[in-house]
Amino acid sequence: MGTALQIKNLHVEVNNKLILKGLSLNIEHGEMAAIMGPNGSGKSTLASVLAGKEGYNVTKGYIKYLGNDLLKMPPEDRAAAGVFLAFQYPVEIPGVATSTFVRTSLNAQKRNRGEAELDAMQFLKLAREKAKQLEMSEDFFQRAVNVGFSGGEKKRAEVFQMSMLEPTLAILDETDSGLDIDALKIVAEGVNRLRDDKLSGIVITHYQRLLDYLQPDTIHILAEGKIVKTGDKSLALLLEEKGYQGIDGAN
Amino acid sequence: MAVSSDTISAVEKATKKYKYGFITDIETEFAPKGLNEDIVKFISKKNDEPSWLLEWRLKAYRQWLKMEKEEPKWANIHFPEIDFQEAYYYAAPKSDEDKPKSLDEIDPEILNTYNKLGIPIKEQEMLAGIVGSGNVAVDAVFDSVSVATTFKSKLSELGIIFCPISEAVKKHPDLIKKYLGSVIPQTDNFYSALNSAVYSDGSFVYIPEGVKCPMDLSTYFRINAAETGQFERTLIVADKGSYVSYLEGCTAPMRDENQLHAAVVELVALEDAEIKYSTVQNWYPGDENGKGGIYNFVTKRGACRGNNSKISWTQVETGSAITWKYPSVILQGDNSIGEFYSVAISNKKQQADTGTKMVHIGKNTKSTIISKGISAGYGQQTYRGLVRMQAGAENATNFSQCDSLLIGKNCGGHTVPYIDSRNPTAEVAHEATTSKISDEQLFYVQQRGLDPEEAVALIVNGFAKEVLKKLPMEFAVEAQKLLGVSLEGSVG
Ligand SMILES: Nc1ncnc2c1ncn2[C@@H]1O[C@H](COP(=O)(O)OP(=O)(O)O)[C@@H](O)[C@H]1O
Ligand SMILES: [Mg+2]
């Protein structure tokens, strides 16, 4: 085992406003951690900082991933190093077919890592297999990335991309929001299929149902820019019962 | 024009910034600098032209002199006044003195240049380059003289004429007399008058009645000599019920001075005929500071003369310091169709004022305009289009869609649509959008593993897809790469 991701005393400003105020978090190889917390507490901010979005000013603290200083790497290098973010609000890219997008992404990562790229046939074979597992129709290969997708389709497409790119650190930002019960199950199974001792996960969610499927190893409560409580599955159940008011420091 | 990806990457490596920026070192024969009646006569004599054509040129020249003070100023482009006496109007590779009889006689340096460009000029190479479907016959214009025409014999079996226009003047004088200047009169505008006076060569295509041309025909233009204006002239005639797809590609070496390119392209489609004309233009755009580059002032117009005829222009314009170009269609025949699909990029200090004119004369005529303008760096771009419905254009329809994409803060995109409808049954629909590549889009794509330049290229290709998919396959592949190359340095 050993630590995969190490976040220490992270302070982050956005537009001169301090959002993360000394956040510390360790994630082991193969660990699935859930992050819960009130709206506006900084969950998506953490996800964005991990993935390397511009405009997030780290004023204190550090992030190490697999021993590397993550904050020094541009987003595409982080992606090639295995960081994947399933966006809370996936972005539309008009005119770019989803399959083209994923193939371009996958091959860019492989190039970056010095691996052989997939040709069109190899890619298609893999994509069909993954789409089938997620019970997605192949029609969406030709549809422009996220354009005209329903909320649920967007989330499912994010998980499809994740399963194609095979990350080692998956960050799921409210991937369960907007999914109906059946879709939620399929998506959760998709995530579980990727789980092995190399995949670490950060699952941001408000709902117990996803956690029932994913069975996270740890649960963290994020409030006002800090982790205020860490526990096991029972913490989520307590939360479900009492709300954030029931948790010290989280209101 | 099957440019292999190996060729592209080899050339890209050789000249990272402008991948076609090499200069061929061959002896060149110039006419004396400057422009006067003697130069016009010199060019005509070089081409061994009949006296009617010399008179035709001189008429254009004299008209141009009168127009000189009327150089068009309405376009949204800015450049120092051109001194027309400071350029050479004729440059032919020396080895052309004693006209090559076959490809073997062509200066190996020229062939080498074409190889670097990836043009399969030798027929063997041609054949080797064909994978499955698309055949391409190439008529290459090296500076002013057509050096070689491939696949001639195969085409001539079908009665198709595809040759340098200088040759057509001698071999097919009736066709040339009938159609040259019939769509774009010599005195149509300042640059077409100049071209008519001093054009040195170009391509001629004639597709006989009922013949579908079995391969894409292609001219590859290349400006090599310094301080040379290139004034080529293309004339394509599709007789009744015929079809042809024509590809035009252009490159020019990197030079500090500006070079003028004032071409004229005329298309004539008779009854039930169809012409598809595709251009990928990547003339040298100049450097980051706007030094050097081609002034591309081109007149292109097609006439749908017969009923049910069709003309489509598809263009991908990534090069030139300044582009001034409006490929147009005159819809004379009833039920005729005109199309204009365009992607234009202005990066660095490039300026482009481009668009189309659709002039509806016949009944039930139909036109479609899809324009995708991309501005980056300090690039400025204007879409300028005219849709005219003449009084007789019963039930004519037009649909126009003009989209601008801006990358960065210092560029500009402008849309200037003119609509002039004189028939109440005619319908004109115009849509326009302006968008930016958002930080969210860039981040999303980068998060998946693409670097910023790859990300921009991907997003831009998506933006331009509607037009790119109109290009013949092998052209589309090159165009996609060009979009990426042209936008290098536009982010970050
Ligand atoms: N671009 C931004 N500019 C200013 N404030 C922002 C920006 N993005 C997020 N915030 C603020 O940061 C805080 C945390 O937001 P976010 O991380 O999205 O919360 P969560 O995902 O936990 O709901 C909120 O107060 C939000 O308004
Ligand atoms: Mg959020």
Side-chain angles (χ1 to χ4, degrees), chain B residues 379-414:
Chain B
Q380 285 295 331
Q381 188 163 136
T382 303
Y383 166 83
R384 190 181 302 279
L386 168 71
V387 176
R388 174 175 293 151
M389 301 296 186
Q390 303 278 59
E394 288 292 312
N395 299 314
T397 56
N398 160 266
F399 173 74
S400 303
Q401 166 101 39
C402 303
D403 298 324
S404 309
L405 184 69
L406 307 178
I407 304 170
K409 295 184 190 71
N410 302 313
C411 58
H414 318 274

mmCIF file of all heavy atoms in Angstrom, chain B residues 379-414:
data_model
loop_
_atom_site.group_PDB
_atom_site.id
_atom_site.type_symbol
_atom_site.label_atom_id
_atom_site.label_comp_id
_atom_site.label_asym_id
_atom_site.label_seq_id
_atom_site.Cartn_x
_atom_site.Cartn_y
_atom_site.Cartn_z
ATOM 1 N N GLY B 379 -5.092 38.843 -35.282
ATOM 2 C CA GLY B 379 -5.767 38.655 -36.562
ATOM 3 C C GLY B 379 -7.089 39.405 -36.630
ATOM 4 O O GLY B 379 -7.788 39.568 -35.637
ATOM 5 N N GLN B 380 -7.390 39.882 -37.833
ATOM 6 C CA GLN B 380 -8.652 40.589 -38.061
ATOM 7 C C GLN B 380 -9.365 39.910 -39.213
ATOM 8 O O GLN B 380 -8.773 39.653 -40.250
ATOM 9 C CB GLN B 380 -8.398 42.057 -38.429
ATOM 10 C CG GLN B 380 -7.997 42.925 -37.254
ATOM 11 C CD GLN B 380 -9.090 43.075 -36.214
ATOM 12 O OE1 GLN B 380 -10.284 43.020 -36.530
ATOM 13 N NE2 GLN B 380 -8.702 43.236 -34.954
ATOM 14 N N GLN B 381 -10.635 39.650 -39.015
ATOM 15 C CA GLN B 381 -11.337 38.952 -40.060
ATOM 16 C C GLN B 381 -12.736 39.516 -40.281
ATOM 17 O O GLN B 381 -13.444 39.824 -39.342
ATOM 18 C CB GLN B 381 -11.467 37.485 -39.674
ATOM 19 C CG GLN B 381 -12.026 36.703 -40.814
ATOM 20 C CD GLN B 381 -11.796 35.222 -40.658
ATOM 21 O OE1 GLN B 381 -12.685 34.465 -40.904
ATOM 22 N NE2 GLN B 381 -10.619 34.816 -40.260
ATOM 23 N N THR B 382 -13.083 39.657 -41.539
ATOM 24 C CA THR B 382 -14.412 40.141 -41.878
ATOM 25 C C THR B 382 -15.066 39.167 -42.845
ATOM 26 O O THR B 382 -14.451 38.780 -43.831
ATOM 27 C CB THR B 382 -14.323 41.529 -42.558
ATOM 28 O OG1 THR B 382 -13.645 42.424 -41.681
ATOM 29 C CG2 THR B 382 -15.714 42.075 -42.872
ATOM 30 N N TYR B 383 -16.282 38.765 -42.514
ATOM 31 C CA TYR B 383 -17.087 38.061 -43.505
ATOM 32 C C TYR B 383 -17.898 39.128 -44.234
ATOM 33 O O TYR B 383 -18.570 39.944 -43.605
ATOM 34 C CB TYR B 383 -18.039 37.046 -42.860
ATOM 35 C CG TYR B 383 -19.091 36.593 -43.865
ATOM 36 C CD1 TYR B 383 -18.793 35.586 -44.775
ATOM 37 C CD2 TYR B 383 -20.325 37.215 -43.964
ATOM 38 C CE1 TYR B 383 -19.706 35.210 -45.748
ATOM 39 C CE2 TYR B 383 -21.252 36.850 -44.932
ATOM 40 C CZ TYR B 383 -20.932 35.849 -45.827
ATOM 41 O OH TYR B 383 -21.830 35.491 -46.790
ATOM 42 N N ARG B 384 -17.808 39.133 -45.567
ATOM 43 C CA ARG B 384 -18.563 40.099 -46.344
ATOM 44 C C ARG B 384 -19.328 39.314 -47.401
ATOM 45 O O ARG B 384 -18.731 38.615 -48.221
ATOM 46 C CB ARG B 384 -17.583 41.072 -47.011
ATOM 47 C CG ARG B 384 -18.224 42.283 -47.675
ATOM 48 C CD ARG B 384 -17.141 43.152 -48.324
ATOM 49 N NE ARG B 384 -16.143 43.599 -47.353
ATOM 50 C CZ ARG B 384 -16.323 44.633 -46.531
ATOM 51 N NH1 ARG B 384 -17.418 45.348 -46.572
ATOM 52 N NH2 ARG B 384 -15.375 44.959 -45.666
ATOM 53 N N GLY B 385 -20.618 39.355 -47.336
ATOM 54 C CA GLY B 385 -21.384 38.536 -48.270
ATOM 55 C C GLY B 385 -22.555 39.307 -48.849
ATOM 56 O O GLY B 385 -23.132 40.180 -48.206
ATOM 57 N N LEU B 386 -22.868 38.985 -50.089
ATOM 58 C CA LEU B 386 -24.021 39.604 -50.732
ATOM 59 C C LEU B 386 -24.949 38.504 -51.239
ATOM 60 O O LEU B 386 -24.506 37.560 -51.903
ATOM 61 C CB LEU B 386 -23.576 40.460 -51.920
ATOM 62 C CG LEU B 386 -24.708 40.936 -52.854
ATOM 63 C CD1 LEU B 386 -25.573 41.999 -52.185
ATOM 64 C CD2 LEU B 386 -24.146 41.475 -54.161
ATOM 65 N N VAL B 387 -26.217 38.629 -50.892
ATOM 66 C CA VAL B 387 -27.221 37.751 -51.498
ATOM 67 C C VAL B 387 -28.186 38.656 -52.250
ATOM 68 O O VAL B 387 -28.801 39.545 -51.663
ATOM 69 C CB VAL B 387 -27.985 36.938 -50.437
ATOM 70 C CG1 VAL B 387 -29.082 36.111 -51.097
ATOM 71 C CG2 VAL B 387 -27.025 36.040 -49.664
ATOM 72 N N ARG B 388 -28.240 38.453 -53.577
ATOM 73 C CA ARG B 388 -29.144 39.283 -54.365
ATOM 74 C C ARG B 388 -30.181 38.414 -55.050
ATOM 75 O O ARG B 388 -29.853 37.438 -55.701
ATOM 76 C CB ARG B 388 -28.368 40.085 -55.416
ATOM 77 C CG ARG B 388 -29.307 40.869 -56.355
ATOM 78 C CD ARG B 388 -28.562 41.762 -57.310
ATOM 79 N NE ARG B 388 -27.903 42.826 -56.573
ATOM 80 C CZ ARG B 388 -26.781 43.424 -56.979
ATOM 81 N NH1 ARG B 388 -26.198 43.026 -58.089
ATOM 82 N NH2 ARG B 388 -26.253 44.386 -56.275
ATOM 83 N N MET B 389 -31.450 38.797 -54.860
ATOM 84 C CA MET B 389 -32.540 38.118 -55.537
ATOM 85 C C MET B 389 -33.041 39.065 -56.625
ATOM 86 O O MET B 389 -33.647 40.097 -56.325
ATOM 87 C CB MET B 389 -33.684 37.822 -54.545
ATOM 88 C CG MET B 389 -33.267 36.944 -53.364
ATOM 89 S SD MET B 389 -32.776 35.317 -53.943
ATOM 90 C CE MET B 389 -32.531 34.449 -52.394
ATOM 91 N N GLN B 390 -32.762 38.705 -57.875
ATOM 92 C CA GLN B 390 -33.222 39.555 -58.975
ATOM 93 C C GLN B 390 -34.733 39.426 -59.137
ATOM 94 O O GLN B 390 -35.339 38.475 -58.631
ATOM 95 C CB GLN B 390 -32.542 39.150 -60.282
ATOM 96 C CG GLN B 390 -31.021 39.185 -60.248
ATOM 97 C CD GLN B 390 -30.443 40.564 -60.465
ATOM 98 O OE1 GLN B 390 -30.740 41.484 -59.695
ATOM 99 N NE2 GLN B 390 -29.619 40.710 -61.489
ATOM 100 N N ALA B 391 -35.306 40.339 -59.888
ATOM 101 C CA ALA B 391 -36.761 40.381 -60.032
ATOM 102 C C ALA B 391 -37.328 39.061 -60.566
ATOM 103 O O ALA B 391 -38.407 38.637 -60.182
ATOM 104 C CB ALA B 391 -37.157 41.530 -60.955
ATOM 105 N N GLY B 392 -36.561 38.383 -61.410
ATOM 106 C CA GLY B 392 -37.067 37.137 -62.005
ATOM 107 C C GLY B 392 -36.848 35.896 -61.156
ATOM 108 O O GLY B 392 -37.244 34.799 -61.547
ATOM 109 N N ALA B 393 -36.229 36.051 -60.003
ATOM 110 C CA ALA B 393 -35.855 34.888 -59.195
ATOM 111 C C ALA B 393 -37.040 34.379 -58.372
ATOM 112 O O ALA B 393 -37.017 34.382 -57.135
ATOM 113 C CB ALA B 393 -34.670 35.236 -58.305
ATOM 114 N N GLU B 394 -38.066 33.912 -59.065
ATOM 115 C CA GLU B 394 -39.250 33.391 -58.387
ATOM 116 C C GLU B 394 -38.874 32.246 -57.449
ATOM 117 O O GLU B 394 -38.156 31.329 -57.850
ATOM 118 C CB GLU B 394 -40.255 32.849 -59.426
ATOM 119 C CG GLU B 394 -40.963 33.910 -60.247
ATOM 120 C CD GLU B 394 -41.919 34.749 -59.421
ATOM 121 O OE1 GLU B 394 -42.712 34.151 -58.675
ATOM 122 O OE2 GLU B 394 -41.846 35.993 -59.498
ATOM 123 N N ASN B 395 -39.375 32.298 -56.232
ATOM 124 C CA ASN B 395 -39.196 31.208 -55.272
ATOM 125 C C ASN B 395 -37.729 30.829 -55.009
ATOM 126 O O ASN B 395 -37.439 29.685 -54.666
ATOM 127 C CB ASN B 395 -39.946 29.948 -55.719
ATOM 128 C CG ASN B 395 -41.427 30.204 -55.832
ATOM 129 O OD1 ASN B 395 -42.028 30.807 -54.943
ATOM 130 N ND2 ASN B 395 -42.011 29.806 -56.944
ATOM 131 N N ALA B 396 -36.862 31.762 -55.206
ATOM 132 C CA ALA B 396 -35.454 31.485 -54.898
ATOM 133 C C ALA B 396 -35.268 31.472 -53.383
ATOM 134 O O ALA B 396 -36.007 32.136 -52.650
ATOM 135 C CB ALA B 396 -34.562 32.545 -55.530
ATOM 136 N N THR B 397 -34.306 30.692 -52.919
ATOM 137 C CA THR B 397 -34.048 30.664 -51.477
ATOM 138 C C THR B 397 -32.555 30.758 -51.192
ATOM 139 O O THR B 397 -31.730 30.272 -51.961
ATOM 140 C CB THR B 397 -34.538 29.355 -50.818
ATOM 141 O OG1 THR B 397 -33.919 28.250 -51.474
ATOM 142 C CG2 THR B 397 -36.040 29.215 -50.894
ATOM 143 N N ASN B 398 -32.263 31.387 -50.101
ATOM 144 C CA ASN B 398 -30.884 31.426 -49.616
ATOM 145 C C ASN B 398 -30.876 31.126 -48.129
ATOM 146 O O ASN B 398 -31.748 31.560 -47.385
ATOM 147 C CB ASN B 398 -30.248 32.803 -49.831
ATOM 148 C CG ASN B 398 -29.038 33.024 -48.917
ATOM 149 O OD1 ASN B 398 -29.137 33.583 -47.836
ATOM 150 N ND2 ASN B 398 -27.894 32.521 -49.351
ATOM 151 N N PHE B 399 -29.866 30.372 -47.705
ATOM 152 C CA PHE B 399 -29.623 30.214 -46.282
ATOM 153 C C PHE B 399 -28.169 30.563 -46.006
ATOM 154 O O PHE B 399 -27.267 30.036 -46.644
ATOM 155 C CB PHE B 399 -29.912 28.789 -45.819
ATOM 156 C CG PHE B 399 -29.514 28.561 -44.391
ATOM 157 C CD1 PHE B 399 -30.285 29.089 -43.360
ATOM 158 C CD2 PHE B 399 -28.343 27.892 -44.079
ATOM 159 C CE1 PHE B 399 -29.907 28.924 -42.036
ATOM 160 C CE2 PHE B 399 -27.950 27.722 -42.756
ATOM 161 C CZ PHE B 399 -28.742 28.230 -41.734
ATOM 162 N N SER B 400 -27.947 31.476 -45.069
ATOM 163 C CA SER B 400 -26.580 31.858 -44.717
ATOM 164 C C SER B 400 -26.344 31.657 -43.235
ATOM 165 O O SER B 400 -27.179 32.026 -42.408
ATOM 166 C CB SER B 400 -26.315 33.333 -45.015
ATOM 167 O OG SER B 400 -26.561 33.625 -46.362
ATOM 168 N N GLN B 401 -25.205 31.083 -42.931
ATOM 169 C CA GLN B 401 -24.815 30.912 -41.532
ATOM 170 C C GLN B 401 -23.370 31.382 -41.402
ATOM 171 O O GLN B 401 -22.470 30.842 -42.042
ATOM 172 C CB GLN B 401 -24.921 29.432 -41.163
ATOM 173 C CG GLN B 401 -24.253 29.051 -39.863
ATOM 174 C CD GLN B 401 -25.239 28.903 -38.732
ATOM 175 O OE1 GLN B 401 -26.338 28.384 -38.951
ATOM 176 N NE2 GLN B 401 -24.893 29.361 -37.562
ATOM 177 N N CYS B 402 -23.150 32.409 -40.589
ATOM 178 C CA CYS B 402 -21.798 32.956 -40.446
ATOM 179 C C CYS B 402 -21.398 32.916 -38.989
ATOM 180 O O CYS B 402 -21.967 33.634 -38.166
ATOM 181 C CB CYS B 402 -21.748 34.399 -40.915
ATOM 182 S SG CYS B 402 -22.286 34.542 -42.609
ATOM 183 N N ASP B 403 -20.453 32.074 -38.667
ATOM 184 C CA ASP B 403 -20.026 31.935 -37.283
ATOM 185 C C ASP B 403 -18.595 32.415 -37.118
ATOM 186 O O ASP B 403 -17.728 32.090 -37.928
ATOM 187 C CB ASP B 403 -20.120 30.464 -36.859
ATOM 188 C CG ASP B 403 -21.558 29.948 -36.933
ATOM 189 O OD1 ASP B 403 -22.474 30.736 -36.625
ATOM 190 O OD2 ASP B 403 -21.756 28.786 -37.308
ATOM 191 N N SER B 404 -18.378 33.185 -36.072
ATOM 192 C CA SER B 404 -17.022 33.650 -35.775
ATOM 193 C C SER B 404 -16.570 33.080 -34.447
ATOM 194 O O SER B 404 -17.345 33.018 -33.492
ATOM 195 C CB SER B 404 -16.962 35.169 -35.649
ATOM 196 O OG SER B 404 -17.560 35.785 -36.750
ATOM 197 N N LEU B 405 -15.324 32.672 -34.421
ATOM 198 C CA LEU B 405 -14.739 32.166 -33.185
ATOM 199 C C LEU B 405 -13.514 33.017 -32.864
ATOM 200 O O LEU B 405 -12.648 33.215 -33.717
ATOM 201 C CB LEU B 405 -14.313 30.705 -33.374
ATOM 202 C CG LEU B 405 -13.759 29.982 -32.138
ATOM 203 C CD1 LEU B 405 -14.857 29.754 -31.112
ATOM 204 C CD2 LEU B 405 -13.145 28.644 -32.546
ATOM 205 N N LEU B 406 -13.475 33.537 -31.658
ATOM 206 C CA LEU B 406 -12.356 34.397 -31.275
ATOM 207 C C LEU B 406 -11.485 33.675 -30.252
ATOM 208 O O LEU B 406 -11.990 33.060 -29.325
ATOM 209 C CB LEU B 406 -12.869 35.704 -30.660
ATOM 210 C CG LEU B 406 -13.886 36.489 -31.491
ATOM 211 C CD1 LEU B 406 -14.344 37.727 -30.730
ATOM 212 C CD2 LEU B 406 -13.279 36.882 -32.824
ATOM 213 N N ILE B 407 -10.178 33.763 -30.446
ATOM 214 C CA ILE B 407 -9.243 33.166 -29.504
ATOM 215 C C ILE B 407 -8.346 34.278 -28.994
ATOM 216 O O ILE B 407 -7.582 34.853 -29.761
ATOM 217 C CB ILE B 407 -8.397 32.069 -30.182
ATOM 218 C CG1 ILE B 407 -9.313 31.009 -30.801
ATOM 219 C CG2 ILE B 407 -7.438 31.430 -29.177
ATOM 220 C CD1 ILE B 407 -8.593 30.019 -31.699
ATOM 221 N N GLY B 408 -8.468 34.597 -27.727
ATOM 222 C CA GLY B 408 -7.661 35.686 -27.166
ATOM 223 C C GLY B 408 -8.395 37.012 -27.253
ATOM 224 O O GLY B 408 -9.520 37.100 -27.735
ATOM 225 N N LYS B 409 -7.711 38.065 -26.764
ATOM 226 C CA LYS B 409 -8.375 39.353 -26.585
ATOM 227 C C LYS B 409 -8.050 40.367 -27.674
ATOM 228 O O LYS B 409 -8.670 41.405 -27.763
ATOM 229 C CB LYS B 409 -7.951 39.969 -25.247
ATOM 230 C CG LYS B 409 -8.391 39.186 -24.047
ATOM 231 C CD LYS B 409 -8.003 39.925 -22.762
ATOM 232 C CE LYS B 409 -8.212 39.055 -21.540
ATOM 233 N NZ LYS B 409 -7.221 37.946 -21.432
ATOM 234 N N ASN B 410 -7.029 40.079 -28.486
ATOM 235 C CA ASN B 410 -6.537 41.127 -29.377
ATOM 236 C C ASN B 410 -6.984 40.981 -30.824
ATOM 237 O O ASN B 410 -6.556 41.727 -31.682
ATOM 238 C CB ASN B 410 -5.012 41.160 -29.325
ATOM 239 C CG ASN B 410 -4.507 41.388 -27.917
ATOM 240 O OD1 ASN B 410 -4.996 42.275 -27.228
ATOM 241 N ND2 ASN B 410 -3.578 40.568 -27.468
ATOM 242 N N CYS B 411 -7.838 39.988 -31.071
ATOM 243 C CA CYS B 411 -8.240 39.739 -32.451
ATOM 244 C C CYS B 411 -9.656 40.284 -32.674
ATOM 245 O O CYS B 411 -10.302 40.744 -31.744
ATOM 246 C CB CYS B 411 -8.191 38.260 -32.748
ATOM 247 S SG CYS B 411 -9.229 37.291 -31.652
ATOM 248 N N GLY B 412 -10.085 40.235 -33.906
ATOM 249 C CA GLY B 412 -11.422 40.735 -34.195
ATOM 250 C C GLY B 412 -12.122 39.896 -35.246
ATOM 251 O O GLY B 412 -11.498 39.359 -36.148
ATOM 252 N N GLY B 413 -13.443 39.772 -35.097
ATOM 253 C CA GLY B 413 -14.252 39.094 -36.106
ATOM 254 C C GLY B 413 -15.446 39.968 -36.436
ATOM 255 O O GLY B 413 -16.072 40.523 -35.530
ATOM 256 N N HIS B 414 -15.721 40.151 -37.711
ATOM 257 C CA HIS B 414 -16.783 41.059 -38.131
ATOM 258 C C HIS B 414 -17.635 40.381 -39.196
ATOM 259 O O HIS B 414 -17.114 39.623 -40.009
ATOM 260 C CB HIS B 414 -16.188 42.346 -38.700
ATOM 261 C CG HIS B 414 -15.021 42.858 -37.910
ATOM 262 N ND1 HIS B 414 -15.169 43.675 -36.812
ATOM 263 C CD2 HIS B 414 -13.686 42.614 -38.039
ATOM 264 C CE1 HIS B 414 -13.960 43.924 -36.305
ATOM 265 N NE2 HIS B 414 -13.051 43.289 -37.037
#
